[in-house]
Amino acid sequence: MKLLRVGPPGQERPAVLDGAGNLREISGEIDGAFFASGGVARVRAALDRDELPVMEAAGLRIGPPVARPGKIVCIGLNYRDHAGETGAEPPAEPVVFMKAPSTVIGPYDEVLIPRGSVKTDWEVELAVVIGETARYVETHEEALAKVAGYTISNDVSEREFQLERGGQWDKGKSCETFNPLGPWLVTADEVPDPQDLGLRLWVDGEPYQNGSTKNMIFGVAEVVRYLSHFMVLEPGDVINTGTPAGVALGLPGTPYLRAGQVMELEIDGLGRQRQTVGQA
């Protein structure tokens, strides 16, 4: 099942994409309370009973599939090839940092280069949306049971802010528009193996990233289990699970983003994103 939110920023309406490709309107909001109260099961049952009205989709903006997550937890250097291209050793434990929830935008919204930035970069990532509270999870089976579904994230990063300005990575990760999310949330039952998904990213039509989640150092189940021992993961929280090689930071000439460029991203079974780059 594919859940999404459509409409102008701040006025998005929740919907589900049915088997015929129609948008069906659902009540409420797709947020932490929705997941915590069994919203996925309710929508599935209503869809099966053909109770949801069809929405007119023409011209509608697609927003982020989750309404303002409580937190966005990110895993750094989680692909060996990406760690290698940045000159870092593969980590012995997950590298954890946070992105501000205000970074979240729709999958086709404009990404803004921050004022003073010269090193804005791209990162296609598998994003995990938590469906049940995860606290001190012990097994991988239990960890995956806490997942509501998966979507695409572009973990946009400003490398000078992140690596050269002191402090932690967060300041290079939390600029406005730095987390396009979507186009929809694919429920976990439709992703039988999150460790067998291809990820790809292009800039102005040129392919830069082409990897697979099978090459994660720490898989989805381990990431959820691990994080639950350091923080309570709550329904509606988002986890960005890392990016494969091919970011500007690791490429010859470091071709960082410039205003007017276009990024396109896709993950197998999860859809595509497309963002034009602007200037803040």
Side-chain angles (χ1 to χ4, degrees):
M1 192 165 64
K2 295 179 174 68
L3 300 169
L4 65 163
R5 299 168 64 249
V6 295
Q11 301 176 45
E12 294 93 346
R13 292 184 292 159
V16 60
L17 192 66
D18 69 17
N22 299 310
L23 282 184
R24 302 286 189 124
E25 188 166 8
I26 62 179
S27 60
E29 181 58 284
I30 302 174
D31 56 11
F34 170 85
F35 295 114
S37 63
V40 170
R42 285 198 308 276
V43 170
R44 182 176 287 114
L47 189 62
D48 289 343
R49 294 192 298 264
D50 197 25
E51 295 177 348
L52 301 176
V54 175
M55 298 174 64
E56 176 54 55
L60 282 179
R61 165 187 173 268
I62 299 178
V66 180
R68 197 176 174 95
K71 55 183 173 288
I72 302 169
V73 190
C74 305
I75 307 300
L77 305 174
N78 200 24
Y79 289 72
R80 285 183 174 82
D81 56 359
H82 174 56
E85 73 176 347
T86 65
E89 289 292 324
E93 294 190 39
V95 174
V96 179
F97 62 93
M98 310 289 279
K99 287 177 84 89
S102 58
T103 58
V104 173
I105 59 172
Y108 306 107
D109 292 345
E110 185 180 43
V111 167
L112 298 176
I113 294 176
R115 296 178 186 179
S117 165
V118 294
K119 296 183 178 180
T120 296
D121 205 345
W122 58 80
E123 294 189 9
V124 59
E125 304 201 6
L126 174 67
V128 176
V129 178
I130 296 298
E132 299 180 14
T133 300
R135 178 177 179 272
Y136 295 112
V137 172
E138 295 298 338
T139 69
H140 286 179
E141 182 179 29
E142 182 187 358
L144 289 179
K146 304 295 187 182
V147 174
Y150 303 91
T151 189
I152 304 171
S153 170
N154 187 355
D155 178 20
V156 185
S157 309
E158 211 299 334
R159 302 302 188 187
E160 182 186 19
F161 297 177
Q162 175 189 354
L163 302 172
E164 302 173 31
R165 298 289 296 273
Q168 299 180 346
W169 287 7
D170 301 42
K171 69 176 73 171
K173 298 285 190 171
S174 289
C175 303
E176 61 179 335
T177 75
F178 267 27
N179 199 17
L181 205 63
W184 40 63
L185 172 71
V186 179
T187 52
D189 60 297
E190 293 194 6
V191 184
D193 185 0
Q195 303 311 141
D196 190 23
L197 302 173
L199 310 85
R200 291 164 289 275
L201 180 143
W202 300 259
V203 178
D204 291 340
E206 173 117 10
Y208 281 108
Q209 291 187 277
N210 186 2
S212 171
T213 58
K214 69 178 61 174
N215 295 320
M216 284 183 183
I217 298 171
F218 308 101
V220 169
E222 174 58 15
V223 165
V224 173
R225 187 208 66 80
Y226 180 88
L227 289 174
S228 77
H229 287 253
F230 295 90
M231 65 188 76
V232 177
L233 299 173
E234 298 174 322
D237 286 350
V238 173
I239 304 171
N240 288 351
T241 58
T243 198
V247 300
L249 174 65
L251 292 171
T254 54
Y256 291 114
L257 291 166
R258 303 181 307 277
Q261 291 189 296
V262 175
M263 295 180 283
E264 296 176 272
L265 304 76
E266 69 177 16
I267 297 180
D268 293 345
L270 303 185
R272 290 179 64 95
Q273 297 186 355
R274 185 180 190 274
Q275 298 106 34
T276 299
V277 179
Q279 186 68 54

